[in-house]
Amino acid sequence: MQNSTRKPIVAGNWKMNGNKPLIQLLEDSLATADLAHLEVVICPPFPYLGMFGGLNALGAQNMSQFDGGAHTGEIAASMLKECGCQYVILGHSERRAGHAETNDVVASKVKKALEADLTPILCVGETEEIRDSGNLFAFLAEQIDAVVQEIGVNEFSKLVLAYEPIWAIGTGKTASPAQAQEVHHFLREHLAKKNSDIAEKIRILYGGSVKGSNAKELFSQQDVDGGLIGGASLDPEDFLSICLAAKQ
Ligand code: PGA
């Protein structure tokens, strides 16, 4: 994270965890530090979105690819916007694997999010099998290119990317700083072939077992612009130390 034009982001993905008391505990913890040099984004489950005090940016964990209508249980981008969201996580591997979200579905969601003036945090990442098979970069390129095809590369100026190797999510097995940097650099170079200015400016977060104890080393890599934090975002103290590690 040595590029001063890219403001770091630390986003906490609560997944289907947390409760009302955690909102206050987290806000109190974050309020104890000066975090003006980064963007802190909290992505709680939908019902809690309206319960935060406005100190930090809010993100949703998912949204519908449709504008509205007969889609029981779904939530539209415009509704998230109305509820004060600025960000939305899209294409998380748990959505791709557990809810049949193909690259095309993810791409349509990204398009809808942008139309509603939300910033998508677009997640990409490989399984251990894909990494071992040697197809890592082709696989990641395909995930990115599906979105490029839908919205065009210029719209990537409004996106945040998150590299989340599936083998590192919730496993305690973090990618090494060198492994993270290698992929982040690849993603930036891949976009640079289409638009070098956007590639230079886009923020690429690392996600997968980030903790207070390993955040600094990961975030010090040149192409790592912060993190998408799952488990550790539920621990107010650890989340704060991750935020502090992301200061420029
Ligand atoms: P983890 O999750 O930090 O618990 O590994 C990251 C994520 O899935 O966003």
Side-chain angles (χ1 to χ4, degrees):
M1 198 160 46
Q2 281 135 24
N3 184 314
S4 56
T5 62
R6 299 196 297 263
K7 190 173 190 181
I9 299 179
V10 171
N13 173 13
W14 284 19
K15 310 192 179 183
M16 200 170 72
N17 297 303
N19 48 34
K20 271 170 80 173
L22 182 62
I23 298 170
Q24 194 65 49
L25 290 172
L26 191 66
E27 289 192 321
D28 287 350
S29 175
L30 293 171
T32 61
D34 176 8
L35 300 174
H37 294 93
L38 73 146
E39 280 177 58
V40 180
V41 184
I42 314 290
C43 306
F46 293 126
Y48 301 135
L49 281 169
M51 299 182 188
F52 280 78
L55 289 174
N56 304 107
L58 282 177
Q61 300 173 14
N62 177 41
M63 49 160 256
S64 170
Q65 67 269 45
F66 303 111
D67 290 323
H71 301 287
T72 302
E74 294 291 328
I75 291 180
S78 58
M79 298 168 186
L80 294 177
K81 190 72 192 173
E82 269 185 318
C83 291
C85 274
Q86 285 168 249
Y87 290 86
V88 58
I89 298 171
L90 293 175
H92 191 281
S93 59
E94 287 153 20
R95 300 291 317 171
R96 290 180 188 262
H99 302 269
E101 290 197 11
T102 60
N103 279 343
D104 288 346
V105 169
V106 173
S108 357
K109 290 188 177 196
V110 170
K111 187 163 188 237
K112 288 292 172 197
L114 291 174
E115 282 169 11
D117 202 19
L118 290 168
T119 300
I121 300 176
L122 170 63
C123 302
V124 298
E126 80 288 359
T127 58
E128 201 149 39
E129 291 71 41
I130 290 167
R131 180 169 271 267
D132 292 346
S133 72
N135 291 325
L136 170 63
F137 294 126
F139 179 82
L140 295 172
E142 212 177 305
Q143 288 190 321
I144 296 285
D145 289 347
V147 181
V148 174
Q149 212 169 358
E150 179 75 30
I151 62 170
V153 71
N154 291 347
E155 289 291 277
F156 271 63
S157 63
K158 302 174 191 158
L159 255 61
V160 172
L161 288 184
Y163 168 56
E164 296 209 309
I166 295 169
W167 47 270
I169 294 178
T171 57
K173 194 172 156 190
T174 320
S176 70
Q179 282 175 320
Q181 170 58 23
E182 184 187 29
V183 171
H184 284 228
H185 182 69
F186 165 77
L187 293 171
R188 209 178 290 290
E189 286 298 301
H190 184 69
L191 283 174
K193 285 188 217 142
K194 305 171 202 291
N195 184 318
S196 57
D197 189 44
I198 285 170
E200 183 57 25
K201 289 188 182 135
I202 196 164
R203 287 167 300 174
I204 310 179
L205 314 182
Y206 169 78
S209 297
V210 178
K211 302 184 265 295
S213 55
N214 59 24
K216 200 162 184 162
E217 220 192 328
L218 285 160
F219 296 168
S220 68
Q221 300 300 305
Q222 186 153 5
D223 289 295
V224 178
D225 305 308
L228 181 53
I229 319 301
S233 73
L234 302 166
D235 177 334
E237 262 180 51
D238 210 29
F239 189 64
L240 176 62
S241 57
I242 295 169
C243 291
L244 291 170
K247 281 181 102 173
Q248 279 169 330

